[in-house]
Amino acid sequence: MNTHSIPKTPITLLGLGDMGTALARAWLTAGHPLTVWNRSPEKAEPLAGEGARTVATPAEAVASATGPVVLCLLDDASVGETLDGTDLHGKDVVNLTTNTPAQAQQRARWAEARGARFLDGGIMAVPPMIGRPETGGYIFYSGDHALFERHREALEVPAGAEFVGADPGHAALHDIALLSAMTGMFAGITHAFALMGPEKGIDQARFATLLAQWLGAMSGAAHGIAAQLESGNYTEGVTSNLAMMAAANDTLLATAQDQSIDPRLLTPYMELMRHRVAQGHGDEGLAGTVGLLRNE
């Protein structure tokens, strides 16, 4: 069978910022009929030249949609403003706009009250990764599982698709959790480069390679923390306990002081570790600090 003869799911896309445009091109390249709308019409013109159908209003775009209506807008308020006055009854709404878990849950109720089926998504990629599976980008989805399965093939075109639960807020929760971990990693990277300044004769590119290798090796610690949180035994499999790490932190701080480096990116977490040790849990691993953040 000639797979090119199989009709591709039509996509309606609202929002053509950098990410929206990358999504649009991925679907066009894969042969999906694409209808696009953007608040600034000029952003749609290049896509029209590549085969997309452009429309003047969100209402027109939604009314003509026979496949998923995908939103990739600035924020949740923009979603409400864009869809205001449109008839969503019987439509499949896929919201890829960055939002909070609570906003996703509220938006799902809002869409369902208007007769729509709803999926929320969290994009774990930057625009250059879209349409390039070798880069490892993916998108979290949550909400209506049947809707996800119905459009899975189309949803997997821009990036890998990972369904993470019926709660519409779970895609955003996974997204924000991973971005929070990334932010913490960037804080550590920033501190490390501050220590290893070029004025000290350090080859920055070589150090970057060492840094990336070390962080990759240490990332496996996430599995140990997860196992401890699941079992409730925070001393299980511990190789470096909190008491030892908290004591070693003094050396990190002394070095920062000697190098005239501000330690503010490290000290909040160090204080959390010291507090857990002071509670009598020095034999634990890092899982115990999770409980402190949860106020347990």
Side-chain angles (χ1 to χ4, degrees):
M1 178 184 293
N2 183 357
T3 56
H4 294 289
S5 66
I6 300 175
K8 297 291 184 76
T9 302
I11 307 291
T12 298
L13 176 62
L14 309 181
L16 295 174
D18 290 345
M19 181 59 75
T21 298
L23 294 169
R25 289 204 163 104
W27 277 311
L28 284 171
T29 299
H32 288 265
L34 182 68
T35 297
V36 296
W37 169 86
N38 193 70
R39 192 179 303 276
S40 303
E42 62 272 14
K43 287 193 174 182
E45 292 173 3
L47 294 171
E50 297 171 34
R53 170 178 173 259
T54 63
V55 294
T57 67
E60 182 182 354
V62 173
S64 64
T66 58
V69 176
V70 180
L71 297 115
C72 189
L73 300 167
L74 177 63
D75 52 24
D76 182 68
S78 300
V79 173
E81 292 167 5
T82 299
L83 294 180
D84 183 38
T86 64
D87 182 4
L88 295 178
H89 187 78
K91 302 298 182 179
D92 295 343
V93 176
V94 180
N95 186 21
L96 299 184
T97 303
T98 301
N99 54 19
T100 69
Q103 286 172 333
Q105 291 165 342
Q106 183 177 8
R107 187 59 61 189
R109 292 190 294 269
W110 180 91
E112 289 161 4
R114 287 158 176 77
R117 294 169 290 271
F118 184 86
L119 273 178
D120 195 69
I123 303 176
M124 302 308 301
V126 292
M129 298 169 70
I130 297 299
R132 299 178 59 201
E134 71 276 9
T135 64
Y138 58 94
I139 301 175
F140 290 123
Y141 291 95
S142 60
D144 188 328
H145 186 253
L147 179 60
F148 172 77
E149 291 297 337
R150 182 181 307 139
H151 298 304
R152 178 195 283 268
E153 184 177 356
L155 295 177
E156 287 179 336
V157 167
E162 183 78 20
F163 187 79
V164 291
D167 185 325
H170 277 186
L173 185 61
H174 280 71
D175 180 24
I176 297 303
L178 293 189
L179 292 176
S180 297
M182 179 189 73
T183 299
M185 179 187 73
F186 286 161
I189 289 173
T190 299
H191 183 88
F193 274 114
L195 286 171
M196 305 292 277
E199 72 279 0
K200 299 178 177 67
I202 302 296
D203 183 326
Q204 300 295 288
R206 181 174 181 275
F207 176 68
T209 298
L210 296 172
L211 180 58
Q213 290 173 342
W214 174 247
L215 292 176
M218 290 298 98
S219 66
H223 298 291
I225 294 173
Q228 292 172 354
L229 291 171
E230 289 283 349
S231 70
N233 180 1
Y234 296 168
T235 63
E236 176 184 355
V238 171
T239 55
S240 300
N241 64 37
L242 277 177
M244 184 188 77
M245 286 189 284
N249 286 341
D250 291 340
T251 302
L252 273 61
L253 293 173
T255 302
Q257 182 176 9
D258 291 345
Q259 300 291 329
S260 299
I261 300 300
D262 190 329
R264 73 178 72 184
L265 295 177
L266 304 185
T267 49
Y269 188 50
M270 291 178 172
E271 291 169 3
L272 199 70
M273 293 166 68
R274 280 197 295 269
H275 181 58
R276 187 67 176 171
V277 172
Q279 289 180 328
H281 301 288
D283 58 341
E284 292 180 349
L286 295 173
T289 60
V290 175
L292 286 179
L293 292 179
R294 293 174 173 170
N295 295 314
E296 296 176 350

